[in-house]
Amino acid sequence: MSLGPNLLLALLEGTLAAFVLAVTALGLSLVFGVMRVVNVAHGEFFMLGAVLAWAFSQVIPGMPAAGFLLALIGSPIVVGAVAVAVDRAVLRRLGYEPEATIIATIGLLYVVQQLVLTFYGPTARPVVAPISFRVLFPWFGYSGYKLIVMAASAALLIATWFTLMRTRIGLVMRATQFDRETAQAFGIPVDRVYSMIFALGAMLACVAGVLVVPIQQAHYLMGLDPLLLSFIVVILGGLGSLRGTVVAAFVIGLSDGIISVFFSPTLAKILATLLVALVLVFKPTGLFGARGR
Amino acid sequence: MMLTLTGIDCFYGNVQVLRGVSLQVAAGEVLCLLGRNGAGKTTTLRAIMGLVRPRAGRILLDDIELTALPPHEIPRHGVAYVPQGRRLFSELTVEENLTIGLMARERGRATLDRVIGLFPALMERRRQIAGTLSGGEQEMLSIARALCLEPRVLLLDEPTEGLMPSMIATILATVKALKSEGVATILVEQRVESALHVADRVTFLENGATRETATPTELHADPSLLHRYVGVGLRGP
Ligand SMILES: Nc1ncnc2c1ncn2[C@@H]1O[C@H](COP(=O)(O)OP(=O)(O)OP(=O)(O)O)[C@@H](O)[C@H]1O
Ligand SMILES: [Mg+2]
C-alpha cells in the first residue's frame, strides 16, 4: 500500500481510538471535576464492561447480536450499581478526602482485578461482533463494526453533554460541582448527586469497554492502558474541563493511531507523554484548564 | 410561625465556636444579629441551614425540628439563605442560578416573575455568567435566588457588604417589603445604622454566645450595648 491509503487507515484507527478514549476519559474527568476524586480504579470499570460483555454474550449463545445488545444494557447497570455501592460504602465514609480516596481507589483496583481473575480467569476471551459487514475501500476493507463504535461513542459524548448542559439533573450536577455547600442550602441532596456522578463516570468507562471487546478481547488486566491514557488526556485537557478532555482525547487518540501505524506504538506512547510534559511546562492548567479552584 | 434556637453549641473540629446560642424570630419580624468579626454570626446561620451540625441544642421551625433533618431538606421547609460573600454558582448563568432557587421548593414562572419584578436589572442579564456580574448585581442575584424559594424564613449574611448607598437602600427596602409579607428575617449586618433602620429587635453575639437582646428604640436611647459588643457609637465608627 502507498502512503495515501496507509494514511486513511491510520486516520480511521486513530479516530476509533480517540472516540473510545474520549468516552472513557470523560467518565474520569466528570468524577474528578464534580467530586474532586481521582479514581485510580477507573480502568477497572472499563475492564468490567468488557468482561461482563463476554459473560452476557454467553447467556444467549449463537446469537451474537442479541447477546451484545444485552451486554450493552446489562453491563452498565451492573457497573453502575457497583459504583453506587463503592461510593456509599467507601468514598462517602472517607468524606471524599482527596488523598484518602486515591488510596481507596488503588485498593479497589486490586480488589476488582483479583475478583475477576478468580472468577473469570487469566485468559483473554473474544466476543463476536454483533455485525460482520465490511466497508470496502478501493485499497482495503474496513470493519463496519468499528464505524459503529465511532458513531455510538459520538452519540454517548453528545448525550452526556446534553444531559449536563440542557437538563435539570445536569444543572443540579453542575451546581454541586461549583459549590457543594450552597447547593445543599438550595435543597440539592449532594450525597445522591455524588453517587450519580460516580455511577455515570463508571458507566461511561464500562460502555467503552463493552464497545471495544469485539475488537480487543476481554482480559483482567486490560484496564491499565485506558486508565493511563485517560489520566494523560484529563491532565492535557485541563483538570475539570470536559471539553478539554474530549479535545485532548482526539489529540492523543489520533496521534497515537497515526504514529502507531507508521512507526511503532511505543514511540506513540513516548511522544504522547512528552506532549503532556511540554503542555504542562508552558500551560500548567492544561489546554482548557480554568483558573485554579 | 416561629424559628427558635435553644442552647446551640457548634464546633469546627475541636474548637468550640458557638456556646449556647439561643434566639427567636417570628413571622413578619426582622431580627438583627450584631457582633464583632469572628463572634459566630455566620456560624449561627450555617447551623440553621444544617451546614454545621450542632453538638447540643435544638432548632425548631414551629414544631419541625430542623436539627434532625439532613441539610438539603431544610430549604424545602421554606428557609432560604443568602450567604456571606454571596456564594453564587459563579460559572452558571443568572437564569440557571435562579432556576436552582426555584427547584428547591418546586416554584415556577409566577414566582420567578415576582422576584424579577423586585430586581428588574437581572432580567436583562439573564444569560450572563453570574461570576461576571458587578458586585451589586451579584448581591441582587444572591437575594433573588433565595427569594425564588418563597421563603418563610430568610437568613441574610451581610448583604450590604461593599455596596454603594443606593444599592444598600434597595436591599433594605426589600427586607422591609418581605417583612410586610410575613417573612421572618435574620439579618447579619456590620452597619449599625442600617441594622437599626430595619430591625425589630437586635441580638448581640459575643465569643459565640448570645448576650442581650434590645429594640432599636432602646439602643437609640442607650447606645452602651453597641459600645460593648460592636465597639461603635451610633454615628458610625
Ligand atoms: N470552616 C471553619 N473552620 C474552622 N474555623 C472556622 C471556620 N469558619 C469559621 N471559623 C471560626 O469560627 C469563628 C466564628 O466564625 P464566623 O464566621 O461565624 O464569624 P462571624 O461572626 O460571621 O465573623 P465575620 O463578621 O468576620 O463574618 C471564627 O473564630 C472563625 O475563625
Ligand atoms: Mg460572617
Side-chain angles (χ1 to χ4, degrees):
Chain A
M1 276 199 297
S2 59
L3 181 66
N6 252 326
L7 191 62
L8 177 63
L9 181 62
L11 275 176
L12 283 169
E13 290 293 290
T15 309
L16 176 70
F19 267 121
V20 174
L21 179 56
V23 171
T24 313
L26 188 63
L28 189 69
S29 189
L30 201 60
V31 167
F32 179 78
V34 177
M35 303 168 69
R36 301 277 128 174
V37 166
V38 176
N39 180 16
V40 182
H42 192 65
E44 302 320 302
F45 292 134
F46 179 95
M47 178 271 281
L48 272 181
V51 168
L52 285 169
W54 175 84
F56 278 114
S57 74
Q58 302 302 298
V59 176
I60 316 180
M63 291 177 67
F68 191 78
L69 209 61
L70 184 66
L72 212 48
I73 297 163
S75 308
I77 292 176
V78 174
V79 167
V82 170
V84 169
V86 168
D87 176 62
R88 301 230 159 136
V90 182
L91 303 180
R92 184 179 301 177
R93 275 163 213 258
L94 296 174
Y96 301 100
E97 285 294 326
E99 292 86 356
T101 50
I102 288 180
I103 306 292
T105 54
I106 291 175
L108 178 64
L109 180 156
Y110 286 114
V111 170
V112 173
Q113 252 178 29
Q114 292 307 310
L115 282 175
V116 171
L117 178 61
T118 307
F119 293 102
Y120 171 84
T123 35
R125 293 173 223 243
V127 171
V128 183
I131 50 153
S132 55
F133 77 89
R134 291 180 78 74
V135 179
L136 293 177
F137 291 98
W139 317 277
F140 56 83
Y142 194 71
S143 153
Y145 177 70
K146 288 185 178 177
L147 295 177
I148 286 187
V149 170
M150 294 182 211
S153 303
L156 273 173
L157 296 178
I158 292 169
T160 308
W161 176 86
F162 185 85
T163 306
L164 283 173
M165 301 308 288
R166 290 283 181 274
T167 67
R168 283 164 74 95
I169 187 70
L171 180 60
V172 162
M173 288 174 177
R174 284 182 294 144
T176 307
Q177 165 177 10
F178 296 137
D179 192 334
R180 175 188 157 86
E181 183 176 305
T182 308
Q184 279 188 322
F186 283 88
I188 296 176
V190 297
D191 279 347
R192 236 173 291 158
V193 173
Y194 273 25
S195 286
M196 262 175 355
I197 288 283
F198 198 66
L200 185 60
M203 285 159 87
L204 281 169
C206 166
V207 173
V210 174
L211 288 174
V212 300
V213 73
I215 303 169
Q216 225 194 343
Q217 302 202 342
H219 185 252
Y220 82 106
L221 291 176
M222 72 190 291
L224 185 63
D225 253 17
L227 176 71
L228 291 181
L229 283 172
S230 294
F231 269 126
I232 289 180
V233 160
V234 170
I235 294 169
L236 183 64
L239 294 176
S241 164
L242 298 182
R243 188 169 43 132
T245 298
V246 172
V247 170
F250 275 84
V251 172
I252 296 291
L254 278 174
S255 62
D256 192 83
I258 291 170
I259 297 167
S260 299
V261 168
F262 285 104
F263 302 98
S264 81
T266 317
L267 184 66
K269 297 280 181 304
I270 293 173
L271 289 179
T273 317
L274 200 64
L275 176 67
V276 172
L278 280 177
V279 168
L280 290 185
V281 166
F282 293 105
K283 199 163 181 302
T285 52
L287 295 176
F288 289 81
R291 63 250 102 191
R293 227 179 309 114
Chain B
M1 193 252 332
M2 183 81 86
L3 177 74
T4 316
L5 282 70
T6 19
I8 297 296
D9 286 354
C10 278
F11 292 73
Y12 288 118
N14 287 323
V15 183
Q16 185 164 11
V17 181
L18 296 186
R19 299 157 217 276
V21 165
S22 300
L23 51 84
Q24 291 201 339
V25 56
E29 191 188 27
V30 178
L31 174 73
C32 207
L33 274 188
L34 286 182
R36 292 174 200 269
N37 292 122
K41 306 180 295 293
T42 298
T43 308
T44 303
L45 300 192
R46 294 184 70 222
I48 298 171
M49 294 310 297
L51 301 172
V52 271
R53 288 273 147 202
R55 282 203 207 160
R58 303 176 81 190
I59 301 175
L60 290 175
L61 179 60
D62 293 333
D63 51 0
I64 305 161
E65 178 147 12
L66 297 186
T67 16
L69 298 176
H72 69 268
E73 282 184 16
I74 291 171
R76 293 183 189 165
H77 289 283
V79 187
Y81 184 33
V82 178
Q84 186 168 14
R86 303 165 194 130
R87 301 283 290 261
L88 295 173
F89 300 109
S90 57
E91 292 172 56
L92 304 185
T93 63
V94 169
E95 196 165 40
E96 287 172 329
N97 271 276
L98 294 174
T99 305
I100 302 243
L102 292 170
M103 279 160 63
R105 294 183 83 197
E106 287 159 28
R107 294 302 193 257
R109 189 77 229 178
T111 309
L112 182 63
D113 288 344
R114 238 161 45 85
V115 170
I116 294 273
L118 289 172
F119 303 107
L122 293 178
M123 188 62 187
E124 300 146 32
R125 306 203 166 267
R126 62 186 196 285
R127 303 224 177 277
Q128 190 170 329
I129 299 294
T132 65
L133 294 173
S134 77
E137 288 164 347
Q138 291 196 12
E139 193 60 59
M140 284 196 268
L141 178 55
S142 184
I143 295 175
R145 180 180 63 175
L147 295 185
C148 283
L149 273 74
E150 295 193 330
R152 298 197 291 153
V153 177
L154 181 61
L155 312 178
L156 294 159
D157 199 344
E158 301 198 22
T160 63
E161 205 176 14
L163 300 184
M164 56 182 281
S166 66
M167 194 62 223
I168 295 177
T170 309
I171 286 173
L172 295 180
T174 310
V175 171
K176 285 197 160 171
L178 292 167
K179 171 183 152 73
S180 68
E181 288 174 23
V183 176
T185 304
I186 299 184
L187 173 67
V188 172
E189 187 51 81
Q190 296 281 357
R191 261 171 260 270
V192 173
E193 299 289 344
S194 310
L196 296 191
H197 180 62
V198 291
D200 293 302
R201 287 182 299 125
V202 175
T203 293
F204 292 97
L205 216 68
E206 184 184 49
N207 287 330
T210 32
R211 308 289 192 210
E212 279 88 344
T213 296
T215 64
T217 326
E218 289 163 356
L219 291 171
H220 276 292
D222 173 15
S224 63
L225 290 177
L226 290 171
H227 279 290
R228 184 165 355 138
Y229 294 119
V230 281
V232 297
L234 255 185
R235 289 294 150 220

